Amino acid sequence: MAEEDDTRIRILQSLRGKICEGKNLGSCSAPNRQRDLCTFCTISLDQEEVFRTKVFDKSFSPLYGEDFYFEIPRPFQCLSFYVFAKGVFQRDLPVGKVSIRKEDLCKFSGKEHWFCLQPVDPNSEVQGKVHLEMRLNELITENGSVCQQLLVRIIECQGLPLISGQNCDPYATVSLVGPARSDQRKTKVKKKTSDPQFDETFFFEVTRPNSYTRKSNFQVEEEDIEKLEIKVELWNNGNLAQDVFLGETRVSVKILRNDHIHRAWYLLQPKGNGNKSKTDDLGSLRLNVTYTEDNVLPSACYTPLRTLLLQSPDAKPVSASAAHILGDVCRERYEAVLPVVRLLLHHNRLVPFVSAIAALELDHTQEANTIFRGNSLATRCIDDMMKIVGRSYLTVTLKPVLDEICESNKTCEIDPIKLREGDNVEVNKENLQGYVQKVFSSITQSSSSCPPLMCDMFRSLRQMASKRFPADPHVQYSAVSSFVFLRFFAVAVLSPHTFQLRPHHPDLEVSRTLTLISKTIQTLGSWGSLSKNKLVCKTVSQPVNMPIHQCVNLLSKCLSVCLSVIQSISVSPEVQKRAQGRKRIGKKNFKKRWLRVTNRELSYHKHKGKEAICIIPVKNIRAVEKVDESAFNRKNMFQVLHGEKPLYVQAGNCVEASEWIEVLSQVSRCNPGRLGTFHPSAYATGVWLCCRSPNDSQPGCKPCTPTMLANLQLDIDCDRETERIFSLLTSNYSKLQKMEDACASIAVYQGPLREQEDYSLFTIQDPKETFHTVQQIKHILENLQREHDNRSGTAQYGSQHTTHTHTTHKTHSHTCIFSHVNIFPLCFLCYYRENPIVGKTS
């Protein structure tokens, strides 16, 4: 991980959720409403599309069921979900949209909501901000009279949208608008940029009544100032086509009553401030959206908390450790375990910690057939571990057979109630039997691909289970099979898209087939149900002549170190690739190509399925870095440095570019001879555009992004995970306090015992050790909170001065645990630290 500036706070954003379903899509009153409506959904950050579902055929109420997760690599203002009707001979038509402002995402976090679709109006599709300066001057005219002159300076804009995938050609109009006047000025057109620097000044005369008597300097009469406003509109110059509206903002001149000079940033707004008349019902969309924002301090700030957490495996008893206490106080929050798992995994401390908490759970397990069947801290840790380290294992083991199942489209329905007319139940049974055999054979033959960490974990579970129930010879298998089959393979078969084994949620018929296969695997993987397996298998298919312990033995005894296999992927179906070695910069040098990467090679093809035009061995890749937008006047560019001539690639959007860089960096991170520096721009017109060096073989002028040689090739940001743990502990501070009180009541103060329900939810084996750990945690939280407060910024928001405290949050607001004072909700202002003045329209 790169070293951060000693005072800088990193803002890291991610978005997770699900596009569940639509209802009554399209206007019911429209005369041309299509009977067979084929729809799909897209997700956009501002106006940049970053995700698209598959097309759902012939339904007004489609069940999409598409999960999504991605890191957000840039600031944004609005998250939008669009529903499109798929066109056959024409372009796709928008049905409606759901737009959520960034500051409102916290209202919907983590829960499903129905959203009414709004019409898609080109004049409301805006993004970006504009930097303005306004000043009121007093002038004496030639005849000696006094008048006011309004100076408006448009300095710059940032974050304007792309037009047809490319930077726009923006210009601005500045108007002084009043009841009886509308004076307009226009800036010059700036070519191919989303962040134009205008720096143009316009003057407007503000007339005064003849009866005006000077009362004070630079003060316009109340009746005049209330009626005047400055309107700034941004447009894209269409040359021969029609100009495209990019957004507007309005500022009342009365803002200058108290200040002679006003300078601020303003968010661009829809035309007419987005006021819409009543429209037809376009339907609704059910969504689950969780937006996470981490304010990550410099690494040194997290050393005390990180050290305390890494000591958890050695704590005696383990229930008094910081990691176990976090699991206790955040028991209702399933996502609380993941940052601890990732942190311990990075430092190779996960297996001893999980072994310790699993032993604690086994001490309270009375029957062997219920071993590891609950939703405990141990099972949640193992679940998350398998999802993190087992993804490549699933790809190698299940992806080929799942691709065959999804693409062959054979019917496997055996329920008489659900059979369609013409279906043959015997043929369906044979189809299902064949699929089950293939899936189970793939699993039993996969021991050589099982990640070593999973093998170590399973071996530890087997030993502890045998020790706890020595009279049961089968418990060593059921302890492992409850995870391998019930929580890993069966879940991946049921929902392959959530493990990136398939690009989209399967259709209803394929989903039913996967459900039947998954249920069979669960039954075969449940040692306690083996006595019933013959009955179940006869109902589903012919008996599967493969003993369950064969698979479990293979998995648990697999101790050889296995290389992680990265699936063949294409993050975007097509990218723009620049011809290698070209020294001239122009559109003709960029070609649309299909890019593919495996753990062995990077290749690009003219079309999917065609022969490779160029193959670059992964072992030859020496660096993968971003390219400055100014190099080619193109966004989302990155470069693959593999020899004398770099490969320049433009991804479809910012998320895809980040994913390509991450994947290519991951597969090449262990290569010998990796570069230490690179050129962030291109070599053109005889010089490097970044450092102006004329030597084309000149070493880079900027340090390469460091790659972390982590175990299992996992790129884990430990500071970010520790910040999330801090946020979780902070939001559950009252429970932490209650645990401390329970420990004190039991042992420290020797006071009267509280009612049982006050501390029955906590595992307190040693109250003194637990009390000591809780006090350490509270002290660390207080220091970290102080670090956040000391690094907070102050911003001017419009005409009001507001102290904006940057604290950790997942829902943009929380109550300060130390002062018990409510902190204002955080918003997009967090991202504009570089600009101390931020504006807002009145």
Side-chain angles (χ1 to χ4, degrees):
M1 183 173 54
E3 274 187 35
E4 299 297 333
D5 186 90
D6 288 342
T7 60
R8 185 186 170 203
I9 297 180
R10 291 185 293 143
I11 307 295
L12 304 177
Q13 314 166 89
S14 62
L15 193 69
R16 180 191 303 274
K18 185 175 186 177
I19 302 176
C20 304
E21 61 177 316
K23 185 166 63 176
N24 299 326
L25 298 182
S27 175
C28 298
S29 60
N32 57 346
R33 189 186 192 198
Q34 301 178 28
R35 180 170 299 176
D36 298 332
L37 189 68
C38 301
T39 63
F40 64 92
C41 291
T42 66
I43 301 177
S44 294
L45 294 173
D46 297 323
Q47 299 306 306
E48 184 178 12
E49 181 183 319
V50 296
F51 180 84
R52 178 178 291 216
T53 69
K54 70 173 184 178
V55 178
F56 201 96
D57 292 339
K58 302 178 182 180
S59 176
F60 292 122
S61 299
L63 182 64
Y64 295 110
E66 294 268 9
D67 296 280
F68 58 86
Y69 173 80
F70 48 83
E71 298 286 332
I72 303 176
R74 62 169 178 82
F76 73 102
Q77 300 170 21
C78 188
L79 174 69
S80 299
F81 298 82
Y82 291 85
V83 179
F84 287 90
K86 184 66 177 177
V88 181
F89 301 109
Q90 57 183 351
R91 65 185 181 88
D92 302 329
L93 299 176
V95 176
K97 70 174 182 178
V98 173
S99 292
I100 308 173
R101 301 288 300 182
K102 180 185 169 185
E103 54 266 32
D104 295 331
L105 283 171
C106 59
K107 301 175 184 177
F108 312 105
S109 181
K111 296 180 181 179
E112 291 184 358
H113 292 83
W114 281 100
F115 296 87
C116 292
L117 292 180
Q118 302 297 323
V120 178
D121 176 12
N123 287 333
S124 68
E125 305 291 292
V126 301
Q127 71 178 65
K129 57 179 182 174
V130 59
H131 197 187
L132 299 177
E133 179 183 315
M134 296 170 58
R135 180 181 305 177
L136 200 59
N137 297 326
E138 187 176 77
L139 298 178
I140 301 177
T141 62
E142 295 179 355
N143 59 10
S145 61
V146 178
C147 71
Q148 297 285 333
Q149 185 183 62
L150 178 63
L151 178 150
V152 180
R153 178 182 170 216
I154 178 166
I155 304 171
E156 60 178 317
C157 292
Q158 290 184 4
L160 298 182
L162 303 179
I163 302 296
S164 301
Q166 300 297 328
N167 285 328
C168 54
D169 296 333
Y171 68 89
T173 62
V174 182
S175 305
L176 178 63
V177 181
R181 63 184 296 176
S182 180
D183 300 337
Q184 186 179 90
R185 310 286 192 271
K186 178 181 174 181
T187 68
K188 296 178 181 178
V189 176
K190 300 297 180 180
K191 293 290 186 180
K192 302 299 179 187
T193 176
S194 295
D195 303 313
Q197 301 286 327
F198 291 109
D199 198 17
E200 295 190 38
T201 303
F202 304 101
F203 299 91
F204 300 91
E205 183 178 338
V206 181
T207 58
R208 310 302 299 277
N210 293 331
S211 60
Y212 166 71
T213 57
R214 180 171 177 175
K215 297 180 180 179
S216 62
N217 290 333
F218 310 110
Q219 185 172 358
V220 180
E221 298 258 274
E222 293 290 334
E223 59 268 22
D224 297 331
I225 204 121
E226 294 289 344
K227 299 175 183 178
L228 296 177
E229 66 178 7
I230 288 294
K231 181 176 73 172
V232 178
E233 292 183 336
L234 271 297
W235 295 83
N236 176 65
N237 183 37
N239 292 324
L240 300 178
Q242 185 176 0
D243 292 355
V244 178
F245 177 76
L246 301 179
E248 72 173 21
T249 189
R250 296 170 180 259
V251 185
S252 176
V253 180
K254 68 181 180 182
I255 203 169
L256 295 172
R257 283 189 300 181
N258 299 319
D259 296 324
H260 297 173
I261 301 176
H262 176 74
R263 184 171 178 173
W265 283 95
Y266 290 89
L267 293 179
L268 295 176
Q269 304 293 332
K271 182 169 286 189
N273 233 354
N275 296 327
K276 300 181 180 65
S277 57
K278 187 175 181 180
T279 59
D280 292 329
D281 182 13
L282 301 176
S284 54
L285 203 59
R286 182 162 62 93
L287 304 171
N288 188 332
V289 181
T290 298
Y291 168 71
T292 303
E293 180 182 288
D294 299 310
N295 299 278
V296 183
L297 298 168
S299 184
C301 299
Y302 297 109
T303 300
L305 180 56
R306 184 168 50 242
T307 301
L308 186 63
L309 289 164
L310 294 178
Q311 292 171 352
S312 296
D314 304 322
K316 302 296 181 185
V318 71
S319 61
S321 66
H324 194 283
I325 289 173
L326 173 67
D328 259 2
V329 299
C330 303
R331 188 169 298 183
E332 294 83 9
R333 300 186 62 174
Y334 190 84
E335 75 276 9
V337 174
L338 183 59
V340 175
V341 170
R342 292 175 66 84
L343 182 67
L344 295 176
L345 182 62
H346 179 82
H347 292 277
N348 297 316
R349 301 288 285 161
L350 183 62
V351 173
F353 175 70
V354 174
S355 298
I357 59 177
L360 178 62
E361 181 176 338
L362 283 172
D363 290 341
H364 295 85
T365 302
Q366 303 303 320
E367 298 181 9
N369 61 357
T370 62
I371 190 170
F372 299 130
R373 293 302 172 92
N375 189 25
S376 64
L377 179 61
T379 58
R380 289 158 65 188
C381 286
I382 297 174
D383 278 353
D384 285 335
M385 179 274 295
M386 291 191 300
K387 291 175 182 176
I388 295 171
V389 307
R391 181 168 294 179
S392 297
Y393 178 37
L394 286 175
T395 301
V396 174
T397 306
L398 292 182
K399 192 176 191 308
V401 65
L402 289 177
D403 287 342
E404 179 185 345
I405 293 171
C406 294
E407 292 167 6
S408 62
N409 205 24
K410 293 181 181 179
T411 303
C412 298
E413 184 57 69
I414 57 174
D415 188 342
I417 300 176
K418 298 182 179 180
L419 285 174
R420 297 179 301 186
E421 185 177 354
D423 283 350
N424 188 321
V425 68
E426 294 301 323
V427 173
N428 292 356
K429 281 184 180 180
E430 290 181 7
N431 293 338
L432 184 58
Q433 178 188 5
Y435 285 153
V436 170
Q437 287 277 11
K438 288 183 178 180
V439 170
F440 205 73
S441 296
S442 297
I443 295 174
T444 57
Q445 296 169 10
S446 66
S447 61
S448 61
S449 300
C450 185
L453 188 74
M454 290 176 62
C455 297
D456 293 344
M457 190 76 74
F458 297 151
R459 181 178 59 180
S460 178
L461 293 180
R462 287 183 62 189
Q463 293 172 350
M464 289 187 293
S466 298
K467 185 178 180 180
R468 176 69 177 85
F469 299 101
D472 190 335
H474 304 310
V475 71
Q476 59 176 324
Y477 304 124
S478 60
V480 177
S481 66
S482 61
F483 291 104
V484 176
F485 291 98
L486 275 66
R487 297 172 179 264
F488 189 56
F489 285 119
V491 177
V493 169
L494 185 63
S495 303
H497 59 290
T498 61
F499 292 86
Q500 286 76 52
L501 300 177
R502 294 291 298 171
H504 297 292
H505 182 75
D507 58 38
L508 293 178
E509 186 171 342
V510 174
S511 182
R512 173 62 178 165
T513 299
L514 296 178
T515 299
L516 292 172
I517 298 172
S518 178
K519 286 183 176 180
T520 307
I521 292 174
Q522 290 181 32
T523 303
L524 293 172
S526 177
W527 189 271
S529 303
L530 281 179
S531 59
K532 305 176 184 178
N533 272 352
K534 287 188 178 181
L535 175 63
V536 174
C537 289
K538 285 181 181 179
T539 305
V540 175
S541 62
Q542 296 301 316
V544 179
N545 298 316
M546 198 169 296
I548 191 69
H549 64 270
Q550 177 183 346
C551 178
V552 180
N553 260 331
L554 286 170
L555 293 172
S556 57
K557 291 181 179 180
C558 173
L559 302 177
S560 60
V561 177
C562 309
L563 295 176
S564 297
V565 181
I566 297 175
Q567 69 180 95
S568 299
I569 64 166
S570 174
V571 180
S572 58
E574 292 180 317
V575 296
Q576 294 284 346
K577 189 276 304 179
R578 183 175 186 261
Q580 301 183 66
R582 293 287 181 90
K583 296 186 178 182
R584 295 185 60 191
I585 297 178
K587 285 187 177 181
K588 293 184 179 180
N589 291 340
F590 283 87
K591 302 292 184 182
K592 189 172 287 189
R593 294 290 182 256
W594 192 81
L595 207 60
R596 177 177 179 268
V597 63
T598 70
N599 62 321
R600 295 180 179 274
E601 63 188 29
L602 171 67
S603 59
Y604 55 84
H605 312 245
K606 192 168 185 178
H607 300 291
K608 182 178 180 180
K610 298 292 184 180
E611 291 186 5
I613 298 174
C614 177
I615 296 177
I616 301 172
V618 164
K619 64 181 181 180
N620 292 346
I621 296 178
R622 305 178 68 192
V624 184
E625 297 289 345
K626 291 183 179 179
V627 178
D628 288 347
E629 178 185 335
S630 59
F632 301 102
N633 278 329
R634 289 172 177 259
K635 284 182 172 291
N636 309 319
M637 292 282 299
F638 66 93
Q639 56 183 316
V640 181
L641 304 173
H642 62 96
E644 295 181 0
K645 303 170 184 178
L647 173 67
Y648 295 104
V649 182
Q650 181 185 23
N653 55 60
C654 60
V655 172
E656 289 182 1
S658 296
E659 289 175 347
W660 269 114
I661 294 172
E662 179 183 354
V663 169
L664 290 172
S665 298
Q666 183 178 345
V667 298
S668 63
R669 69 176 63 205
C670 298
N671 289 351
R674 285 186 61 88
L675 296 176
T677 59
F678 75 104
H679 289 285
S681 194
Y683 185 83
T685 63
V687 296
W688 286 103
L689 300 180
C690 45
C691 58
R692 311 307 297 177
S693 171
N695 185 1
D696 61 351
S697 60
Q698 175 76 19
C701 57
K702 185 177 180 180
C704 288
T705 304
T707 55
M708 187 168 52
L709 299 176
N711 185 31
L712 300 169
Q713 293 193 341
L714 296 175
D715 193 1
I716 296 175
D717 188 339
C718 292
D719 293 340
R720 185 179 191 179
E721 304 304 333
T722 312
E723 170 63 30
R724 288 179 173 175
I725 294 171
F726 164 69
S727 180
L728 288 163
L729 289 170
T730 299
S731 60
N732 289 274
Y733 189 79
S734 60
K735 293 181 181 179
L736 201 63
Q737 183 65 52
K738 187 176 288 188
M739 176 179 274
E740 184 184 42
D741 293 343
C743 293
S745 178
I746 295 172
V748 178
Y749 299 118
Q750 297 297 323
L753 291 179
R754 293 173 175 263
E755 294 295 326
Q756 183 70 17
E757 56 267 20
D758 279 356
Y759 52 85
S760 61
L761 296 177
F762 306 129
T763 305
I764 303 176
Q765 293 177 290
D766 188 329
K768 290 185 178 180
E769 286 297 324
T770 307
F771 181 86
H772 177 65
T773 305
V774 171
Q775 284 199 319
Q776 285 183 287
I777 293 174
K778 290 174 62 178
H779 178 69
I780 291 171
L781 295 184
E782 184 176 356
N783 289 337
L784 271 174
Q785 181 69 48
R786 190 177 298 114
E787 289 288 345
H788 276 285
D789 294 341
N790 291 341
R791 297 167 193 271
S792 64
T794 301
Q796 182 181 348
Y797 191 49
S799 60
Q800 299 177 350
H801 295 269
T802 303
T803 300
H804 203 62
T805 305
H806 296 277
T807 54
T808 54
H809 55 92
K810 287 195 175 185
T811 56
H812 294 271
S813 64
H814 70 276
T815 302
C816 181
I817 59 176
F818 307 111
S819 61
H820 302 288
V821 176
N822 286 330
I823 296 174
F824 288 113
L826 302 181
C827 61
F828 69 94
L829 288 175
C830 299
Y831 289 94
Y832 300 139
R833 303 176 187 280
E834 311 268 322
N835 306 309
I837 301 176
V838 180
K840 178 181 178 182
T841 55
S842 301

